[in-house]
Amino acid sequence: MHYLITGGTGLIGRSLCQTLLAAGHDITVFSRNKTKVYKQCGRNVKAIQSLDEISDDQKIDIVINLAGEPIADKKWSQQQKNILEQSRIGLTAALVNWIKTRQAKPHALISGSAVGWYGDQKQQPLTELSDYQHDYAHELCEKWEKAALEAADEVRVCIIRTGLVLSTEGGVLQRMLLPFKLGGGCTLGKGDQYMPWIHISDIVNLIIYLSQTPSAKGVFNGTAPHPVTNATFTTTLAKHLHRPAIFKAPEWLLKCALGEMSQLLLGGQRAYPEKATAIGYQFQYTDLDDAFNNLLNKS
């Protein structure tokens, strides 16, 4: 099949491209930076800077929309919020409009979102049918999802509310490794907030599974079946690195340092992948110990 991917140079996108190429699929990556695409994804993909570069007679089977400015890299000033929204909502709207103009339409649009849609839900178990608590992360994800669902009258649409993707090639785990290895690992706030994690291999394979399962529609939680609290995540990672993790970062300090963005660290979602399991996806990594064994033994 021929896949069109946005966000192909991101953490998930790079691994997705590698997996799809290994399976013999054709890939076109939509990006502002062709050089970065070839460097991150390899020369076997086609890089484009405009959707107009795809001719009307070029068949695209699946569109996977993963583009978005990293949400945790900078404090949420109004300027940064505008960048976050344009990189998600604006690009998704443009992609949907392109799909609507196509005479030969793709079979499906698989579009990214995040478990932040649920807001801070404390210890409440969450499935795809759960309600939300309003905060900025929810507002951002809600607009992002609505933009993608505008294509639902044209093609099959799946929304993936992704959790914390575990990889040593980028993302939250890579950022945590150095301070933990130096003995500076710490619990964030009270540590009772849930961290809905997922191994990089599982999020990539789930995306591909949804793209190739015609019955799959709507929202899916892209999280492992066993979310853990921040305290458990911290002690488990420290154990695997053979280091102590005795410190605590108080809530007031995180709020002072990060402002509104501290919601990402102090809030939590005890999210379960109920729909993914129901349609037959089998997670390779369901236990955090197994995920760390795999990732940290390779790094």
Side-chain angles (χ1 to χ4, degrees):
M1 291 198 291
H2 193 154
Y3 283 79
L4 170 64
I5 300 174
T6 72
T9 60
L11 174 62
I12 299 174
R14 297 193 304 267
S15 184
L16 178 65
C17 286
Q18 292 166 8
T19 303
L20 289 172
L21 286 172
H25 297 288
D26 296 318
I27 300 173
T28 296
V29 176
F30 176 31
S31 173
R32 291 171 296 181
N33 190 330
K34 288 187 176 183
T35 301
K36 188 175 181 181
V37 170
Y38 293 127
K39 181 178 179 181
Q40 301 280 12
C41 304
R43 287 283 170 180
N44 290 327
V45 305
K46 179 181 179 181
I48 60 170
Q49 293 177 300
S50 169
L51 294 171
D52 293 336
E53 294 179 49
I54 304 175
S55 63
D56 291 336
D57 59 356
Q58 172 64 68
K59 184 181 179 184
I60 299 292
D61 298 293
I62 303 290
V63 178
I64 298 179
N65 178 33
L66 302 174
E69 178 81 4
I71 195 168
D73 280 7
K74 298 178 182 179
K75 291 179 72 172
W76 291 346
S77 64
Q78 188 55 55
Q79 180 181 10
Q80 182 63 13
K81 285 182 178 181
N82 292 340
I83 293 171
L84 291 172
E85 291 166 18
Q86 180 58 33
S87 68
R88 288 164 173 75
I89 304 156
L91 189 146
T92 300
L95 197 59
V96 168
N97 287 335
W98 174 82
I99 289 173
K100 290 180 177 180
T101 65
R102 297 283 291 179
Q103 190 162 11
K105 300 190 187 303
H107 303 308
L109 167 64
I110 314 298
S111 194
S113 182
V115 291
W117 183 92
Y118 297 103
D120 180 13
Q121 297 269 13
K122 312 300 182 187
Q123 280 72 47
Q124 178 68 32
L126 303 171
T127 72
E128 291 86 353
L129 297 177
S130 297
D131 207 348
Y132 62 89
Q133 295 292 324
H134 191 273
D135 58 19
Y136 178 67
H138 165 76
E139 180 183 328
L140 177 63
C141 291
E142 175 71 0
K143 292 177 181 177
W144 193 9
E145 292 183 12
K146 282 186 175 180
L149 289 170
E150 287 293 318
D153 290 337
E154 308 283 341
V155 298
R156 179 171 63 88
V157 177
C158 294
I159 304 290
I160 304 182
R161 291 177 182 160
T162 307
L164 298 169
V165 178
L166 301 187
S167 169
T168 56
E169 302 299 320
V172 62
L173 179 59
Q174 185 194 49
R175 290 196 293 269
M176 294 173 75
L177 285 179
L178 180 58
F180 269 70
K181 287 178 178 178
L182 295 175
C186 64
T187 302
L188 303 176
K190 296 178 181 177
D192 59 353
Q193 67 273 35
Y194 270 83
M195 297 177 66
W197 61 275
I198 187 168
H199 191 288
I200 182 66
S201 295
D202 270 320
I203 190 61
V204 165
N205 289 330
L206 176 59
I207 290 170
I208 296 171
Y209 188 84
L210 294 178
S211 76
Q212 298 176 1
T213 303
S215 62
K217 289 183 181 180
V219 172
F220 293 81
N221 286 338
T223 60
H226 300 296
V228 299
T229 64
N230 173 258
T232 297
F233 191 98
T234 300
T235 56
T236 304
L237 178 56
K239 178 188 72 174
H240 280 268
L241 295 175
H242 309 290
R243 295 290 189 275
I246 59 176
F247 303 110
K248 289 190 176 183
E251 289 190 19
W252 66 264
L253 180 61
L254 294 170
K255 288 178 178 178
C256 286
L258 302 175
E260 189 180 7
M261 197 178 76
S262 63
Q263 295 171 359
L264 294 178
L265 303 181
L266 297 173
Q269 298 83 28
R270 190 178 180 180
Y272 293 89
E274 190 171 88
K275 280 184 64 177
T277 302
I279 66 167
Y281 179 74
Q282 295 184 352
F283 286 84
Q284 186 176 359
Y285 299 97
T286 62
D287 181 82
L288 188 60
D289 272 309
D290 290 340
F292 282 155
N293 275 332
N294 172 262
L295 292 166
L296 300 178
N297 287 339
K298 292 194 301 186
S299 64

